Amino acid sequence: MKSKIALLLPYFLLTLISCENNSSDKQTPIEAEPIFMDLSSYYSQSNLKSTNGEGVPENLRVLKAEYFTTGESGKIGRTVFFMNVGNKKLDADFVPHLDFSLDGTTDITYYIDENRPSSDLALSETTAAIQRAMATWDGVTCSNLNMTQLPYSGKPTGFIAALLGFGGSFNYFGDVTHCGWLPTSFFDLIDVDGGSYILGVTFTIIFTNSDYDNNKKADVAWREIYYNDGFSWRIGDHYDLETIALHESGHGLSQGHFGKAFLDAGTGKVHFSPRSVMNAAYSGIQTHIEKTDNAGHCSIWANWPN
Ligand SMILES: [Zn+2]
């Protein structure tokens, strides 16, 4: 009996090892290290002007971008830092003080630019989907954002669009500004691997040399969201705009990416644990916020505007 077990033991061990190998092959964890990109050559362009003829204001800079991928590419969203602050992790938040609130209130405002429509959807559909996404965040009960949409003025938006030569404005339009759809060539500028798998991106624009509330975080002037017109946009199907607007608006409201990403060797797709709106890649329609999204939001906003 003993010898039989001894004979079988190597077989069991081999089976165990091969099982483990299989499972680790199938589920490879993906890390998304932040990237640094230097924009100083853009700021110093002597002929740099926005669509309205303004130059870059000295008191405003782009701090970072957080981009969101298809997930089918096996890539996940990363954070791109544009200000070299050494190995310090400079973060940023909105400041509940009227001197630093460009709309003159402590309410959180948003703006939807209709100058850059999607090639696939009607403006009425895209505006409604973005409004639903904003309303979902506004509906989180721990916070009192008094979220309001500022009326469309017809003027072009986009600090980063103006900076990178895609037409825009260095002016404020809303705390969270949905700047619309731009071609993939815009997204190519924000990642060394190109922008062909980037669905959307949120930029954080900060006041330079300002930390009004002394919390070691930069003070947010506003955030800008762009969608990649290189993809087919849908409502209620892939790629679902409300899902992606909800994700980008989460960044607009200061949340970062959340959840562990794994590459499935079988399908080549990324999946997340736990699944949430703030996962770094698209993994299907998701128009309701999950427990972890709620917790992240509440940790930032529960005491606003105090
Ligand atoms: Zn993201």
Side-chain angles (χ1 to χ4, degrees):
M1 192 65 185
K2 248 183 190 173
S3 65
K4 214 171 189 181
I5 289 169
L7 265 171
L8 284 171
L9 200 59
Y11 170 76
F12 281 128
L13 277 174
L14 266 175
T15 312
L16 264 174
I17 288 164
S18 72
C19 274
E20 265 176 15
N21 275 348
N22 276 347
S23 64
S24 65
D25 278 356
K26 268 186 185 160
Q27 309 296 333
T28 312
I30 311 176
E31 298 292 333
E33 291 297 316
I35 314 168
F36 171 69
M37 195 167 286
D38 189 359
L39 290 181
S40 54
S41 65
Y42 287 96
Y43 292 116
S44 61
Q45 295 169 89
S46 55
N47 58 348
L48 181 66
K49 291 277 184 284
S50 72
T51 305
N52 303 323
E54 320 124 349
V56 191
E58 272 305 312
N59 67 328
L60 295 173
R61 285 292 178 264
V62 185
L63 172 69
K64 63 175 177 176
E66 285 151 307
Y67 67 73
F68 187 64
T69 64
T70 59
E72 284 155 10
S73 53
K75 302 224 182 229
I76 60 170
R78 296 166 77 172
T79 303
V80 187
F81 285 97
F82 300 109
M83 289 177 74
N84 202 346
V85 287
N87 44 21
K88 253 192 314 177
K89 253 191 174 173
L90 184 61
D91 209 350
D93 60 4
F94 284 103
V95 186
H97 188 277
L98 292 181
D99 288 353
F100 293 88
S101 166
L102 295 169
D103 58 19
T105 73
T106 57
D107 299 348
I108 293 301
T109 54
Y110 71 99
Y111 184 90
I112 302 174
D113 190 341
E114 299 183 355
N115 282 303
R116 300 186 190 92
S118 146
S119 304
D120 306 307
L121 298 168
L123 269 174
S124 58
E125 290 178 289
T126 57
T127 296
I130 292 169
Q131 286 168 334
R132 287 196 299 276
M134 296 307 286
T136 300
W137 286 119
D138 195 30
V140 179
T141 50
C142 67
S143 61
N144 188 11
L145 306 181
N146 277 331
M147 194 185 281
T148 44
Q149 182 181 0
L150 297 175
Y152 177 56
S153 70
K155 290 180 184 159
T157 64
F159 185 101
I160 189 80
L163 192 68
L164 300 183
F166 285 80
S169 168
F170 298 116
N171 289 331
Y172 171 89
F173 285 84
D175 296 335
V176 180
T177 299
H178 294 263
C179 294
W181 279 257
L182 279 175
T184 303
S185 54
F186 170 81
F187 296 84
D188 287 340
L189 295 175
I190 57 171
D191 190 349
V192 283
D193 295 333
S196 61
Y197 50 83
I198 300 176
L199 285 163
V201 62
T202 303
F203 293 91
T204 298
I205 293 140
I206 58 164
F207 294 107
T208 49
N209 306 319
S210 150
D211 179 12
Y212 171 77
D213 49 357
N214 254 312
N215 66 352
K216 305 275 180 265
K217 290 181 176 184
D219 298 340
V220 174
W222 69 85
R223 288 199 173 89
E224 292 183 351
I225 295 167
Y226 297 87
Y227 304 98
N228 188 343
D229 207 26
F231 289 97
S232 293
W233 290 84
R234 299 283 179 268
I235 307 287
D237 199 354
H238 294 354
Y239 291 101
D240 176 52
L241 174 58
E242 185 178 340
T243 299
I244 295 158
L246 187 63
H247 175 91
E248 298 306 335
S249 305
H251 290 309
L253 297 170
S254 303
Q255 282 213 62
H257 285 147
F258 184 84
K260 282 189 181 128
F262 298 91
L263 180 64
D264 189 310
T267 63
K269 289 183 188 176
V270 177
H271 72 99
F272 291 89
S273 174
R275 190 164 181 249
S276 71
V277 167
M278 295 317 294
N279 290 159
Y282 185 94
S283 60
I285 294 172
Q286 198 168 20
T287 53
H288 299 283
I289 69 164
E290 301 292 340
K291 226 175 172 178
T292 57
D293 303 311
N294 191 85
H297 179 85
C298 294
S299 72
I300 298 164
W301 293 104
N303 296 319
W304 183 268
N306 302 305

